[in-house]
Amino acid sequence: MGMSTGPVSGRGRRRAPMAEINVTPFVDVMLVLLIIFMVTAPLLTSGVEVNLPESKAEALQQEQDPVSISIDPSGAIFVNDDQVDGTSLGARLQQIAAASTEAGGPRIYLRADQGLDYGRVMAVMGELHAAGLRRVALVSTAAQERR
């Protein structure tokens, strides 16, 4: 008995085998895998816990800690919790700028009471600019939803 490759037609000829592959299921599977990898890739940023070897190399210099400048409701100015009067503020900011190794000085966080006069805050910002401190961030709280 011989093996046939397909049904035999009435005249004795054999049908040729089908040589096409249906790729639709393959494409469907690949799209599902693509979506799975796109969703899970951001979750893999935690990394693997390893014990790193010791080295004699020095640690890289990290960015300096930010400097906090606060203005309380009475208008008193504090630099990192130390009260500074308005006349010596410029000299103190010059010292901070001179001690910094970063371009534009260290990061400055300026916090001011919302009830203060706008001119008082702008005077402090002018002193920051005169000292060459260019990396100033104004600190605020998140707005609460109004009902």
Side-chain angles (χ1 to χ4, degrees), residues 14-75:
R14 294 182 180 171
R15 182 181 289 173
M18 188 167 137
E20 297 177 12
I21 297 175
N22 189 2
V23 294
T24 304
F26 176 70
V27 171
D28 291 343
V29 168
M30 294 309 291
L31 288 174
V32 169
L33 288 175
L34 176 67
I35 292 171
I36 289 172
F37 286 125
M38 286 174 58
V39 169
T40 58
L43 301 176
L44 299 177
T45 57
S46 63
V48 177
E49 189 174 323
V50 294
N51 291 325
L52 297 175
E54 293 182 10
S55 173
K56 291 183 180 181
E58 293 181 17
L60 295 175
Q61 287 190 353
Q62 299 293 323
E63 186 175 316
Q64 295 176 344
D65 290 334
V67 176
S68 176
I69 298 177
S70 303
I71 309 171
D72 71 0
S74 66

Side-chain angles (χ1 to χ4, degrees), residues 34-130:
L34 176 67
I35 292 171
I36 289 172
F37 286 125
M38 286 174 58
V39 169
T40 58
L43 301 176
L44 299 177
T45 57
S46 63
V48 177
E49 189 174 323
V50 294
N51 291 325
L52 297 175
E54 293 182 10
S55 173
K56 291 183 180 181
E58 293 181 17
L60 295 175
Q61 287 190 353
Q62 299 293 323
E63 186 175 316
Q64 295 176 344
D65 290 334
V67 176
S68 176
I69 298 177
S70 303
I71 309 171
D72 71 0
S74 66
I77 301 170
F78 296 86
V79 177
N80 289 338
D81 298 328
D82 298 328
Q83 187 169 359
V84 178
D85 62 347
T87 58
S88 63
L89 178 63
R92 178 72 185 267
L93 294 176
Q94 291 286 345
Q95 290 174 350
I96 292 170
S100 176
T101 58
E102 303 171 24
R107 169 80 54 195
I108 304 290
Y109 291 142
L110 180 58
R111 301 167 1 120
D113 189 82
Q114 69 179 349
L116 279 175
D117 182 33
Y118 182 68
R120 181 73 172 150
V121 177
M122 288 307 297
V124 173
M125 290 184 72
E127 291 289 339
L128 288 166
H129 182 74

